[in-house]
Amino acid sequence: MTERTTAELRLLDIAASLGRHPAHDVGDGTPAAMLAELDRYGIAEAVVTHSLATHHDPAAGNARLLAEVAGQPRLHACWTVLPPTCGELPAGAALVAQAHASGVALLTARPTSHGFDLTGPDLAPLLEAAAGHGLPVLVETSEAGWREVELVAAAHPDLRLILSDVGYRELRRLCGLLERRPGVLVCTANLSGHLTLEFLAERFGAHRLVFGTGQPVRDPAEAVARLLWSELDDAAVREIGGGTMRRLLAGPRSTVEVR
């Protein structure tokens, strides 16, 4: 392992959040506070949700998120999505088109918190549209079970589904899923087991891992140190730290490909 610096890696955190958290006293959640944390830990950019969207009202929270990241080139929006059944958000393709036009980098679905079925017919058109536009969808394992994630990945093989909140005790389930479903990637925010990054990168390729911290609820230092001081080679660290995600963000929405 060579000595690495965060400046060289240009880390891109895909699992960060703005807004005050309803259950944890972790700061005021402003863009300025987020940028200060990025600077403190040497993270170049972040894809951010808004706590108003994830914990309360996705429509209002997504709108506030766009307003707060406007003029902040280091912060990229992640919209929280819903099925259109109650009319809160546009249906399927219309919502994805709106997200694309608004520069949204990522979508996240929270079926347990917002009371819907990840695998049901109500959300399927949105997932299909996201796959067609190359817009990734992030799902936490605390929000959807392994069976639901497997069914979604099977039904939408072109969808880039990023699985987050995965701990070391779930590696057997994760490895089976990654083996069967090449469109599934995993966020590093909770991958804190000894040599877990090295094991997964060797078995499935570094391009199946994307860097995330879980800030502000989680301490970003954990994820940053774990990646920088890993036994991975520099090319793999760069891939995980931002290379794969930047290809997803920069590629033509209809033809984005992950190696």
Side-chain angles (χ1 to χ4, degrees), residues 118 136-139 141 146-164 166 173-187 200 204-210 244 248 258-259:
L118 185 70
V137 176
L138 183 145
V139 178
T141 56
W146 290 93
R147 179 178 177 275
E148 287 77 15
V149 171
E150 177 94 41
L151 289 173
V152 166
H156 306 279
D158 294 329
L159 178 67
R160 300 308 174 195
L161 189 64
I162 302 175
L163 196 58
S164 186
V166 181
R173 289 189 179 98
L174 176 64
C175 287
L177 181 68
L178 293 176
E179 185 72 39
R180 291 185 297 273
R181 307 299 173 195
V184 175
L185 292 80
V186 60
C187 173
L200 292 173
F204 302 104
H207 64 284
R208 301 292 293 279
L209 301 167
V210 288
T244 292
L248 285 172
V258 176
R259 295 191 286 105

mmCIF file of all heavy atoms in Angstrom, residues 118 136-139 141 146-164 166 173-187 200 204-210 244 248 258-259:
data_model
loop_
_atom_site.group_PDB
_atom_site.id
_atom_site.type_symbol
_atom_site.label_atom_id
_atom_site.label_comp_id
_atom_site.label_asym_id
_atom_site.label_seq_id
_atom_site.Cartn_x
_atom_site.Cartn_y
_atom_site.Cartn_z
ATOM 1 N N LEU A 118 -41.766 -2.278 -2.197
ATOM 2 C CA LEU A 118 -40.692 -2.046 -3.156
ATOM 3 C C LEU A 118 -40.867 -2.899 -4.409
ATOM 4 O O LEU A 118 -40.483 -2.490 -5.505
ATOM 5 C CB LEU A 118 -39.348 -2.351 -2.499
ATOM 6 C CG LEU A 118 -38.090 -2.048 -3.316
ATOM 7 C CD1 LEU A 118 -37.892 -0.552 -3.465
ATOM 8 C CD2 LEU A 118 -36.865 -2.686 -2.671
ATOM 9 N N PRO A 136 -29.337 5.672 -10.944
ATOM 10 C CA PRO A 136 -29.247 4.647 -9.898
ATOM 11 C C PRO A 136 -30.265 4.877 -8.778
ATOM 12 O O PRO A 136 -30.697 6.004 -8.513
ATOM 13 C CB PRO A 136 -27.819 4.801 -9.366
ATOM 14 C CG PRO A 136 -27.093 5.614 -10.388
ATOM 15 C CD PRO A 136 -28.121 6.485 -11.023
ATOM 16 N N VAL A 137 -30.601 3.784 -8.092
ATOM 17 C CA VAL A 137 -31.520 3.824 -6.956
ATOM 18 C C VAL A 137 -30.823 3.210 -5.752
ATOM 19 O O VAL A 137 -30.308 2.087 -5.822
ATOM 20 C CB VAL A 137 -32.824 3.056 -7.250
ATOM 21 C CG1 VAL A 137 -33.728 3.024 -6.017
ATOM 22 C CG2 VAL A 137 -33.559 3.691 -8.430
ATOM 23 N N LEU A 138 -30.802 3.945 -4.646
ATOM 24 C CA LEU A 138 -30.194 3.473 -3.405
ATOM 25 C C LEU A 138 -31.282 2.985 -2.459
ATOM 26 O O LEU A 138 -32.297 3.662 -2.266
ATOM 27 C CB LEU A 138 -29.377 4.589 -2.755
ATOM 28 C CG LEU A 138 -28.607 4.235 -1.480
ATOM 29 C CD1 LEU A 138 -27.279 4.990 -1.430
ATOM 30 C CD2 LEU A 138 -29.411 4.562 -0.223
ATOM 31 N N VAL A 139 -31.054 1.819 -1.865
ATOM 32 C CA VAL A 139 -31.985 1.237 -0.899
ATOM 33 C C VAL A 139 -31.194 0.753 0.307
ATOM 34 O O VAL A 139 -30.167 0.071 0.151
ATOM 35 C CB VAL A 139 -32.778 0.068 -1.510
ATOM 36 C CG1 VAL A 139 -33.702 -0.550 -0.461
ATOM 37 C CG2 VAL A 139 -33.584 0.520 -2.713
ATOM 38 N N THR A 141 -30.798 -1.655 3.620
ATOM 39 C CA THR A 141 -31.321 -2.965 4.013
ATOM 40 C C THR A 141 -32.291 -2.852 5.185
ATOM 41 O O THR A 141 -33.127 -3.742 5.380
ATOM 42 C CB THR A 141 -30.178 -3.920 4.390
ATOM 43 O OG1 THR A 141 -29.385 -3.334 5.432
ATOM 44 C CG2 THR A 141 -29.298 -4.203 3.189
ATOM 45 N N TRP A 146 -33.903 -8.595 2.115
ATOM 46 C CA TRP A 146 -33.076 -9.170 1.062
ATOM 47 C C TRP A 146 -33.918 -9.768 -0.049
ATOM 48 O O TRP A 146 -33.562 -9.700 -1.223
ATOM 49 C CB TRP A 146 -32.144 -10.223 1.658
ATOM 50 C CG TRP A 146 -31.094 -9.613 2.515
ATOM 51 C CD1 TRP A 146 -31.148 -9.412 3.871
ATOM 52 C CD2 TRP A 146 -29.845 -9.078 2.084
ATOM 53 N NE1 TRP A 146 -30.005 -8.793 4.306
ATOM 54 C CE2 TRP A 146 -29.190 -8.583 3.239
ATOM 55 C CE3 TRP A 146 -29.214 -8.982 0.851
ATOM 56 C CZ2 TRP A 146 -27.933 -7.996 3.178
ATOM 57 C CZ3 TRP A 146 -27.957 -8.395 0.788
ATOM 58 C CH2 TRP A 146 -27.321 -7.911 1.944
ATOM 59 N N ARG A 147 -35.042 -10.366 0.298
ATOM 60 C CA ARG A 147 -35.912 -10.950 -0.728
ATOM 61 C C ARG A 147 -36.444 -9.867 -1.660
ATOM 62 O O ARG A 147 -36.483 -10.052 -2.881
ATOM 63 C CB ARG A 147 -37.072 -11.695 -0.068
ATOM 64 C CG ARG A 147 -38.057 -12.311 -1.068
ATOM 65 C CD ARG A 147 -39.165 -13.079 -0.357
ATOM 66 N NE ARG A 147 -40.123 -13.604 -1.312
ATOM 67 C CZ ARG A 147 -41.153 -12.919 -1.794
ATOM 68 N NH1 ARG A 147 -41.351 -11.661 -1.398
ATOM 69 N NH2 ARG A 147 -41.989 -13.466 -2.658
ATOM 70 N N GLU A 148 -36.851 -8.731 -1.090
ATOM 71 C CA GLU A 148 -37.378 -7.637 -1.911
ATOM 72 C C GLU A 148 -36.305 -7.081 -2.843
ATOM 73 O O GLU A 148 -36.571 -6.806 -4.024
ATOM 74 C CB GLU A 148 -37.936 -6.526 -1.014
ATOM 75 C CG GLU A 148 -39.247 -6.861 -0.323
ATOM 76 C CD GLU A 148 -39.080 -7.786 0.862
ATOM 77 O OE1 GLU A 148 -37.934 -7.952 1.344
ATOM 78 O OE2 GLU A 148 -40.092 -8.368 1.316
ATOM 79 N N VAL A 149 -35.111 -6.916 -2.314
ATOM 80 C CA VAL A 149 -34.010 -6.408 -3.150
ATOM 81 C C VAL A 149 -33.718 -7.384 -4.294
ATOM 82 O O VAL A 149 -33.523 -6.975 -5.443
ATOM 83 C CB VAL A 149 -32.752 -6.172 -2.293
ATOM 84 C CG1 VAL A 149 -31.554 -5.852 -3.175
ATOM 85 C CG2 VAL A 149 -33.001 -5.042 -1.299
ATOM 86 N N GLU A 150 -33.699 -8.657 -3.984
ATOM 87 C CA GLU A 150 -33.449 -9.672 -5.015
ATOM 88 C C GLU A 150 -34.518 -9.624 -6.105
ATOM 89 O O GLU A 150 -34.212 -9.678 -7.301
ATOM 90 C CB GLU A 150 -33.439 -11.059 -4.373
ATOM 91 C CG GLU A 150 -33.252 -12.201 -5.346
ATOM 92 C CD GLU A 150 -31.809 -12.650 -5.500
ATOM 93 O OE1 GLU A 150 -31.095 -12.730 -4.485
ATOM 94 O OE2 GLU A 150 -31.394 -12.904 -6.643
ATOM 95 N N LEU A 151 -35.787 -9.501 -5.707
ATOM 96 C CA LEU A 151 -36.876 -9.467 -6.682
ATOM 97 C C LEU A 151 -36.787 -8.235 -7.585
ATOM 98 O O LEU A 151 -37.025 -8.324 -8.794
ATOM 99 C CB LEU A 151 -38.228 -9.504 -5.961
ATOM 100 C CG LEU A 151 -38.596 -10.839 -5.300
ATOM 101 C CD1 LEU A 151 -39.871 -10.684 -4.473
ATOM 102 C CD2 LEU A 151 -38.773 -11.931 -6.355
ATOM 103 N N VAL A 152 -36.455 -7.090 -6.998
ATOM 104 C CA VAL A 152 -36.312 -5.871 -7.796
ATOM 105 C C VAL A 152 -35.155 -6.011 -8.777
ATOM 106 O O VAL A 152 -35.266 -5.660 -9.957
ATOM 107 C CB VAL A 152 -36.112 -4.649 -6.883
ATOM 108 C CG1 VAL A 152 -35.622 -3.446 -7.687
ATOM 109 C CG2 VAL A 152 -37.414 -4.300 -6.179
ATOM 110 N N ALA A 153 -34.019 -6.520 -8.305
ATOM 111 C CA ALA A 153 -32.853 -6.681 -9.182
ATOM 112 C C ALA A 153 -33.147 -7.662 -10.309
ATOM 113 O O ALA A 153 -32.684 -7.482 -11.446
ATOM 114 C CB ALA A 153 -31.654 -7.151 -8.362
ATOM 115 N N ALA A 154 -33.924 -8.697 -10.017
ATOM 116 C CA ALA A 154 -34.275 -9.675 -11.048
ATOM 117 C C ALA A 154 -35.255 -9.089 -12.061
ATOM 118 O O ALA A 154 -35.139 -9.343 -13.268
ATOM 119 C CB ALA A 154 -34.873 -10.923 -10.399
ATOM 120 N N ALA A 155 -36.212 -8.308 -11.578
ATOM 121 C CA ALA A 155 -37.231 -7.736 -12.461
ATOM 122 C C ALA A 155 -36.694 -6.603 -13.320
ATOM 123 O O ALA A 155 -37.219 -6.330 -14.408
ATOM 124 C CB ALA A 155 -38.414 -7.240 -11.629
ATOM 125 N N HIS A 156 -35.639 -5.926 -12.838
ATOM 126 C CA HIS A 156 -35.085 -4.769 -13.553
ATOM 127 C C HIS A 156 -33.567 -4.949 -13.689
ATOM 128 O O HIS A 156 -32.781 -4.259 -13.027
ATOM 129 C CB HIS A 156 -35.411 -3.474 -12.797
ATOM 130 C CG HIS A 156 -36.862 -3.294 -12.502
ATOM 131 N ND1 HIS A 156 -37.756 -2.823 -13.426
ATOM 132 C CD2 HIS A 156 -37.573 -3.551 -11.372
ATOM 133 C CE1 HIS A 156 -38.965 -2.775 -12.886
ATOM 134 N NE2 HIS A 156 -38.887 -3.207 -11.648
ATOM 135 N N PRO A 157 -33.126 -5.855 -14.543
ATOM 136 C CA PRO A 157 -31.693 -6.163 -14.619
ATOM 137 C C PRO A 157 -30.822 -5.006 -15.084
ATOM 138 O O PRO A 157 -29.611 -5.010 -14.832
ATOM 139 C CB PRO A 157 -31.635 -7.331 -15.621
ATOM 140 C CG PRO A 157 -32.907 -7.231 -16.400
ATOM 141 C CD PRO A 157 -33.926 -6.681 -15.451
ATOM 142 N N ASP A 158 -31.396 -4.014 -15.763
ATOM 143 C CA ASP A 158 -30.610 -2.858 -16.200
ATOM 144 C C ASP A 158 -30.533 -1.760 -15.144
ATOM 145 O O ASP A 158 -29.822 -0.767 -15.334
ATOM 146 C CB ASP A 158 -31.206 -2.273 -17.486
ATOM 147 C CG ASP A 158 -31.081 -3.228 -18.660
ATOM 148 O OD1 ASP A 158 -30.107 -4.008 -18.683
ATOM 149 O OD2 ASP A 158 -31.951 -3.211 -19.541
ATOM 150 N N LEU A 159 -31.260 -1.924 -14.056
ATOM 151 C CA LEU A 159 -31.255 -0.922 -12.985
ATOM 152 C C LEU A 159 -29.976 -1.029 -12.168
ATOM 153 O O LEU A 159 -29.574 -2.129 -11.771
ATOM 154 C CB LEU A 159 -32.466 -1.143 -12.075
ATOM 155 C CG LEU A 159 -32.597 -0.195 -10.868
ATOM 156 C CD1 LEU A 159 -32.872 1.225 -11.329
ATOM 157 C CD2 LEU A 159 -33.704 -0.687 -9.930
ATOM 158 N N ARG A 160 -29.332 0.099 -11.911
ATOM 159 C CA ARG A 160 -28.189 0.136 -10.999
ATOM 160 C C ARG A 160 -28.738 0.351 -9.598
ATOM 161 O O ARG A 160 -29.126 1.456 -9.221
ATOM 162 C CB ARG A 160 -27.193 1.234 -11.387
ATOM 163 C CG ARG A 160 -26.615 1.052 -12.775
ATOM 164 C CD ARG A 160 -26.050 -0.338 -12.981
ATOM 165 N NE ARG A 160 -25.633 -0.557 -14.359
ATOM 166 C CZ ARG A 160 -25.380 -1.738 -14.880
ATOM 167 N NH1 ARG A 160 -25.500 -2.825 -14.148
ATOM 168 N NH2 ARG A 160 -25.013 -1.848 -16.145
ATOM 169 N N LEU A 161 -28.783 -0.719 -8.832
ATOM 170 C CA LEU A 161 -29.356 -0.709 -7.490
ATOM 171 C C LEU A 161 -28.213 -0.710 -6.483
ATOM 172 O O LEU A 161 -27.416 -1.648 -6.445
ATOM 173 C CB LEU A 161 -30.240 -1.943 -7.319
ATOM 174 C CG LEU A 161 -31.105 -2.037 -6.065
ATOM 175 C CD1 LEU A 161 -32.141 -0.921 -6.044
ATOM 176 C CD2 LEU A 161 -31.795 -3.399 -6.016
ATOM 177 N N ILE A 162 -28.131 0.353 -5.684
ATOM 178 C CA ILE A 162 -27.056 0.481 -4.700
ATOM 179 C C ILE A 162 -27.613 0.116 -3.333
ATOM 180 O O ILE A 162 -28.558 0.738 -2.843
ATOM 181 C CB ILE A 162 -26.483 1.906 -4.684
ATOM 182 C CG1 ILE A 162 -25.964 2.295 -6.069
ATOM 183 C CG2 ILE A 162 -25.356 2.013 -3.653
ATOM 184 C CD1 ILE A 162 -25.498 3.737 -6.175
ATOM 185 N N LEU A 163 -27.021 -0.888 -2.718
ATOM 186 C CA LEU A 163 -27.483 -1.384 -1.428
ATOM 187 C C LEU A 163 -26.624 -0.779 -0.327
ATOM 188 O O LEU A 163 -25.395 -0.845 -0.364
ATOM 189 C CB LEU A 163 -27.380 -2.910 -1.413
ATOM 190 C CG LEU A 163 -28.139 -3.668 -0.338
ATOM 191 C CD1 LEU A 163 -29.626 -3.355 -0.403
ATOM 192 C CD2 LEU A 163 -27.900 -5.159 -0.495
ATOM 193 N N SER A 164 -27.293 -0.173 0.653
ATOM 194 C CA SER A 164 -26.582 0.501 1.731
ATOM 195 C C SER A 164 -26.979 -0.102 3.075
ATOM 196 O O SER A 164 -27.916 -0.886 3.168
ATOM 197 C CB SER A 164 -26.886 2.001 1.708
ATOM 198 O OG SER A 164 -26.109 2.689 2.664
ATOM 199 N N VAL A 166 -25.328 -2.182 4.886
ATOM 200 C CA VAL A 166 -24.987 -3.602 4.976
ATOM 201 C C VAL A 166 -23.838 -3.780 5.964
ATOM 202 O O VAL A 166 -22.787 -3.156 5.822
ATOM 203 C CB VAL A 166 -24.565 -4.161 3.597
ATOM 204 C CG1 VAL A 166 -24.247 -5.645 3.706
ATOM 205 C CG2 VAL A 166 -25.658 -3.917 2.568
ATOM 206 N N ARG A 173 -25.364 -13.220 2.693
ATOM 207 C CA ARG A 173 -26.482 -12.789 1.860
ATOM 208 C C ARG A 173 -26.002 -11.861 0.747
ATOM 209 O O ARG A 173 -26.424 -11.969 -0.406
ATOM 210 C CB ARG A 173 -27.530 -12.075 2.717
ATOM 211 C CG ARG A 173 -28.315 -12.966 3.659
ATOM 212 C CD ARG A 173 -29.457 -12.164 4.262
ATOM 213 N NE ARG A 173 -30.280 -12.954 5.159
ATOM 214 C CZ ARG A 173 -30.158 -12.960 6.471
ATOM 215 N NH1 ARG A 173 -29.222 -12.223 7.043
ATOM 216 N NH2 ARG A 173 -30.958 -13.691 7.228
ATOM 217 N N LEU A 174 -25.130 -10.923 1.116
ATOM 218 C CA LEU A 174 -24.641 -9.955 0.138
ATOM 219 C C LEU A 174 -23.890 -10.637 -0.996
ATOM 220 O O LEU A 174 -24.102 -10.319 -2.170
ATOM 221 C CB LEU A 174 -23.736 -8.933 0.827
ATOM 222 C CG LEU A 174 -23.073 -7.906 -0.092
ATOM 223 C CD1 LEU A 174 -24.113 -7.022 -0.764
ATOM 224 C CD2 LEU A 174 -22.072 -7.053 0.683
ATOM 225 N N CYS A 175 -23.022 -11.570 -0.669
ATOM 226 C CA CYS A 175 -22.222 -12.220 -1.706
ATOM 227 C C CYS A 175 -23.098 -13.003 -2.670
ATOM 228 O O CYS A 175 -22.860 -12.994 -3.887
ATOM 229 C CB CYS A 175 -21.181 -13.128 -1.070
ATOM 230 S SG CYS A 175 -19.825 -12.228 -0.281
ATOM 231 N N GLY A 176 -24.107 -13.678 -2.157
ATOM 232 C CA GLY A 176 -25.017 -14.385 -3.041
ATOM 233 C C GLY A 176 -25.733 -13.439 -3.989
ATOM 234 O O GLY A 176 -25.870 -13.720 -5.191
ATOM 235 N N LEU A 177 -26.168 -12.311 -3.456
ATOM 236 C CA LEU A 177 -26.858 -11.316 -4.268
ATOM 237 C C LEU A 177 -25.931 -10.736 -5.335
ATOM 238 O O LEU A 177 -26.313 -10.621 -6.514
ATOM 239 C CB LEU A 177 -27.393 -10.199 -3.369
ATOM 240 C CG LEU A 177 -28.163 -9.074 -4.055
ATOM 241 C CD1 LEU A 177 -29.492 -9.589 -4.608
ATOM 242 C CD2 LEU A 177 -28.407 -7.929 -3.082
ATOM 243 N N LEU A 178 -24.719 -10.362 -4.966
ATOM 244 C CA LEU A 178 -23.774 -9.802 -5.924
ATOM 245 C C LEU A 178 -23.402 -10.810 -7.011
ATOM 246 O O LEU A 178 -23.181 -10.439 -8.162
ATOM 247 C CB LEU A 178 -22.513 -9.324 -5.201
ATOM 248 C CG LEU A 178 -22.671 -8.130 -4.258
ATOM 249 C CD1 LEU A 178 -21.348 -7.836 -3.552
ATOM 250 C CD2 LEU A 178 -23.170 -6.898 -4.987
ATOM 251 N N GLU A 179 -23.336 -12.073 -6.641
ATOM 252 C CA GLU A 179 -23.020 -13.117 -7.611
ATOM 253 C C GLU A 179 -24.128 -13.254 -8.650
ATOM 254 O O GLU A 179 -23.864 -13.396 -9.847
ATOM 255 C CB GLU A 179 -22.815 -14.452 -6.879
ATOM 256 C CG GLU A 179 -22.374 -15.593 -7.770
ATOM 257 C CD GLU A 179 -20.937 -15.445 -8.230
ATOM 258 O OE1 GLU A 179 -20.088 -15.003 -7.429
ATOM 259 O OE2 GLU A 179 -20.676 -15.759 -9.415
ATOM 260 N N ARG A 180 -25.368 -13.204 -8.199
ATOM 261 C CA ARG A 180 -26.501 -13.436 -9.100
ATOM 262 C C ARG A 180 -26.921 -12.196 -9.865
ATOM 263 O O ARG A 180 -27.451 -12.300 -10.976
ATOM 264 C CB ARG A 180 -27.702 -13.950 -8.301
ATOM 265 C CG ARG A 180 -27.553 -15.335 -7.740
ATOM 266 C CD ARG A 180 -28.844 -15.802 -7.073
ATOM 267 N NE ARG A 180 -29.226 -14.984 -5.931
ATOM 268 C CZ ARG A 180 -28.807 -15.182 -4.685
ATOM 269 N NH1 ARG A 180 -27.955 -16.166 -4.418
ATOM 270 N NH2 ARG A 180 -29.218 -14.405 -3.693
ATOM 271 N N ARG A 181 -26.738 -11.008 -9.287
ATOM 272 C CA ARG A 181 -27.306 -9.786 -9.845
ATOM 273 C C ARG A 181 -26.211 -8.762 -10.129
ATOM 274 O O ARG A 181 -25.823 -7.976 -9.267
ATOM 275 C CB ARG A 181 -28.336 -9.186 -8.869
ATOM 276 C CG ARG A 181 -29.413 -10.164 -8.419
ATOM 277 C CD ARG A 181 -30.220 -10.678 -9.597
ATOM 278 N NE ARG A 181 -31.148 -11.745 -9.179
ATOM 279 C CZ ARG A 181 -31.754 -12.562 -10.011
ATOM 280 N NH1 ARG A 181 -31.547 -12.470 -11.313
ATOM 281 N NH2 ARG A 181 -32.566 -13.494 -9.564
ATOM 282 N N PRO A 182 -25.692 -8.731 -11.364
ATOM 283 C CA PRO A 182 -24.576 -7.829 -11.689
ATOM 284 C C PRO A 182 -24.929 -6.353 -11.635
ATOM 285 O O PRO A 182 -24.029 -5.510 -11.609
ATOM 286 C CB PRO A 182 -24.186 -8.261 -13.109
ATOM 287 C CG PRO A 182 -25.392 -8.950 -13.653
ATOM 288 C CD PRO A 182 -26.049 -9.607 -12.485
ATOM 289 N N GLY A 183 -26.221 -6.015 -11.616
ATOM 290 C CA GLY A 183 -26.602 -4.610 -11.529
ATOM 291 C C GLY A 183 -26.607 -4.055 -10.121
ATOM 292 O O GLY A 183 -26.837 -2.864 -9.926
ATOM 293 N N VAL A 184 -26.338 -4.900 -9.120
ATOM 294 C CA VAL A 184 -26.331 -4.463 -7.720
ATOM 295 C C VAL A 184 -24.928 -4.030 -7.308
ATOM 296 O O VAL A 184 -23.950 -4.738 -7.551
ATOM 297 C CB VAL A 184 -26.835 -5.583 -6.791
ATOM 298 C CG1 VAL A 184 -26.705 -5.170 -5.329
ATOM 299 C CG2 VAL A 184 -28.283 -5.932 -7.113
ATOM 300 N N LEU A 185 -24.847 -2.856 -6.696
ATOM 301 C CA LEU A 185 -23.609 -2.351 -6.109
ATOM 302 C C LEU A 185 -23.837 -2.198 -4.610
ATOM 303 O O LEU A 185 -24.979 -2.228 -4.145
ATOM 304 C CB LEU A 185 -23.212 -1.008 -6.722
ATOM 305 C CG LEU A 185 -22.778 -0.984 -8.187
ATOM 306 C CD1 LEU A 185 -23.990 -1.002 -9.115
ATOM 307 C CD2 LEU A 185 -21.943 0.250 -8.499
ATOM 308 N N VAL A 186 -22.764 -2.015 -3.856
ATOM 309 C CA VAL A 186 -22.907 -1.874 -2.407
ATOM 310 C C VAL A 186 -22.151 -0.643 -1.933
ATOM 311 O O VAL A 186 -21.032 -0.371 -2.361
ATOM 312 C CB VAL A 186 -22.437 -3.150 -1.672
ATOM 313 C CG1 VAL A 186 -20.986 -3.470 -1.961
ATOM 314 C CG2 VAL A 186 -22.665 -3.027 -0.172
ATOM 315 N N CYS A 187 -22.813 0.129 -1.076
ATOM 316 C CA CYS A 187 -22.220 1.327 -0.474
ATOM 317 C C CYS A 187 -21.367 0.918 0.722
ATOM 318 O O CYS A 187 -21.744 0.029 1.494
ATOM 319 C CB CYS A 187 -23.340 2.274 -0.043
ATOM 320 S SG CYS A 187 -22.788 3.711 0.890
ATOM 321 N N LEU A 200 -14.444 -8.199 -0.796
ATOM 322 C CA LEU A 200 -15.472 -7.970 -1.814
ATOM 323 C C LEU A 200 -14.859 -7.514 -3.137
ATOM 324 O O LEU A 200 -15.306 -7.930 -4.206
ATOM 325 C CB LEU A 200 -16.486 -6.945 -1.304
ATOM 326 C CG LEU A 200 -17.373 -7.405 -0.150
ATOM 327 C CD1 LEU A 200 -18.209 -6.245 0.378
ATOM 328 C CD2 LEU A 200 -18.277 -8.561 -0.575
ATOM 329 N N PHE A 204 -15.566 -9.689 -6.395
ATOM 330 C CA PHE A 204 -16.544 -9.171 -7.353
ATOM 331 C C PHE A 204 -16.040 -7.993 -8.188
ATOM 332 O O PHE A 204 -16.702 -7.585 -9.134
ATOM 333 C CB PHE A 204 -17.822 -8.751 -6.615
ATOM 334 C CG PHE A 204 -18.453 -9.859 -5.838
ATOM 335 C CD1 PHE A 204 -18.341 -9.917 -4.462
ATOM 336 C CD2 PHE A 204 -19.140 -10.876 -6.488
ATOM 337 C CE1 PHE A 204 -18.915 -10.955 -3.741
ATOM 338 C CE2 PHE A 204 -19.725 -11.918 -5.784
ATOM 339 C CZ PHE A 204 -19.601 -11.962 -4.401
ATOM 340 N N GLY A 205 -14.903 -7.436 -7.834
ATOM 341 C CA GLY A 205 -14.371 -6.269 -8.535
ATOM 342 C C GLY A 205 -14.640 -4.994 -7.757
ATOM 343 O O GLY A 205 -15.712 -4.817 -7.168
ATOM 344 N N ALA A 206 -13.666 -4.094 -7.778
ATOM 345 C CA ALA A 206 -13.803 -2.841 -7.030
ATOM 346 C C ALA A 206 -14.962 -1.995 -7.544
ATOM 347 O O ALA A 206 -15.521 -1.184 -6.804
ATOM 348 C CB ALA A 206 -12.498 -2.044 -7.106
ATOM 349 N N HIS A 207 -15.348 -2.191 -8.820
ATOM 350 C CA HIS A 207 -16.420 -1.385 -9.397
ATOM 351 C C HIS A 207 -17.795 -1.714 -8.808
ATOM 352 O O HIS A 207 -18.762 -1.003 -9.072
ATOM 353 C CB HIS A 207 -16.461 -1.574 -10.915
ATOM 354 C CG HIS A 207 -16.805 -2.962 -11.332
ATOM 355 N ND1 HIS A 207 -15.912 -4.012 -11.271
ATOM 356 C CD2 HIS A 207 -17.960 -3.481 -11.822
ATOM 357 C CE1 HIS A 207 -16.491 -5.115 -11.708
ATOM 358 N NE2 HIS A 207 -17.738 -4.824 -12.043
ATOM 359 N N ARG A 208 -17.889 -2.760 -7.975
ATOM 360 C CA ARG A 208 -19.162 -3.074 -7.336
ATOM 361 C C ARG A 208 -19.303 -2.377 -5.985
ATOM 362 O O ARG A 208 -20.333 -2.541 -5.322
ATOM 363 C CB ARG A 208 -19.282 -4.593 -7.139
ATOM 364 C CG ARG A 208 -19.195 -5.420 -8.404
ATOM 365 C CD ARG A 208 -20.367 -5.248 -9.334
ATOM 366 N NE ARG A 208 -21.612 -5.748 -8.813
ATOM 367 C CZ ARG A 208 -21.989 -7.036 -8.825
ATOM 368 N NH1 ARG A 208 -21.173 -7.951 -9.325
ATOM 369 N NH2 ARG A 208 -23.169 -7.390 -8.363
ATOM 370 N N LEU A 209 -18.283 -1.622 -5.578
ATOM 371 C CA LEU A 209 -18.304 -0.904 -4.301
ATOM 372 C C LEU A 209 -18.271 0.593 -4.565
ATOM 373 O O LEU A 209 -17.503 1.065 -5.403
ATOM 374 C CB LEU A 209 -17.085 -1.285 -3.450
ATOM 375 C CG LEU A 209 -16.928 -2.763 -3.092
ATOM 376 C CD1 LEU A 209 -15.546 -3.017 -2.530
ATOM 377 C CD2 LEU A 209 -17.989 -3.182 -2.100
ATOM 378 N N VAL A 210 -19.110 1.348 -3.853
ATOM 379 C CA VAL A 210 -19.108 2.806 -3.983
ATOM 380 C C VAL A 210 -19.014 3.433 -2.589
ATOM 381 O O VAL A 210 -19.659 2.981 -1.642
ATOM 382 C CB VAL A 210 -20.354 3.321 -4.735
ATOM 383 C CG1 VAL A 210 -20.267 2.980 -6.208
ATOM 384 C CG2 VAL A 210 -21.644 2.768 -4.148
ATOM 385 N N THR A 244 -16.368 4.809 -10.059
ATOM 386 C CA THR A 244 -17.590 4.178 -10.562
ATOM 387 C C THR A 244 -18.758 5.143 -10.540
ATOM 388 O O THR A 244 -19.510 5.265 -11.522
ATOM 389 C CB THR A 244 -17.924 2.929 -9.727
ATOM 390 O OG1 THR A 244 -16.938 1.937 -9.959
ATOM 391 C CG2 THR A 244 -19.298 2.372 -10.085
ATOM 392 N N LEU A 248 -21.239 6.837 -13.562
ATOM 393 C CA LEU A 248 -22.700 6.800 -13.560
ATOM 394 C C LEU A 248 -23.290 8.196 -13.730
ATOM 395 O O LEU A 248 -24.283 8.387 -14.435
ATOM 396 C CB LEU A 248 -23.216 6.182 -12.260
ATOM 397 C CG LEU A 248 -23.092 4.668 -12.123
ATOM 398 C CD1 LEU A 248 -23.455 4.240 -10.713
ATOM 399 C CD2 LEU A 248 -23.969 3.961 -13.133
ATOM 400 N N VAL A 258 -21.846 0.095 -16.122
ATOM 401 C CA VAL A 258 -20.872 -0.156 -15.066
ATOM 402 C C VAL A 258 -20.125 -1.432 -15.424
ATOM 403 O O VAL A 258 -20.747 -2.453 -15.711
ATOM 404 C CB VAL A 258 -21.570 -0.321 -13.698
ATOM 405 C CG1 VAL A 258 -20.547 -0.675 -12.627
ATOM 406 C CG2 VAL A 258 -22.288 0.968 -13.312
ATOM 407 N N ARG A 259 -18.810 -1.381 -15.427
ATOM 408 C CA ARG A 259 -18.035 -2.568 -15.798
ATOM 409 C C ARG A 259 -18.215 -3.672 -14.734
ATOM 410 O O ARG A 259 -18.355 -3.402 -13.573
ATOM 411 C CB ARG A 259 -16.552 -2.214 -15.880
ATOM 412 C CG ARG A 259 -16.224 -1.235 -16.992
ATOM 413 C CD ARG A 259 -14.727 -1.115 -17.202
ATOM 414 N NE ARG A 259 -14.094 -0.362 -16.140
ATOM 415 C CZ ARG A 259 -13.376 -0.914 -15.172
ATOM 416 N NH1 ARG A 259 -13.215 -2.226 -15.087
ATOM 417 N NH2 ARG A 259 -12.799 -0.163 -14.235
#
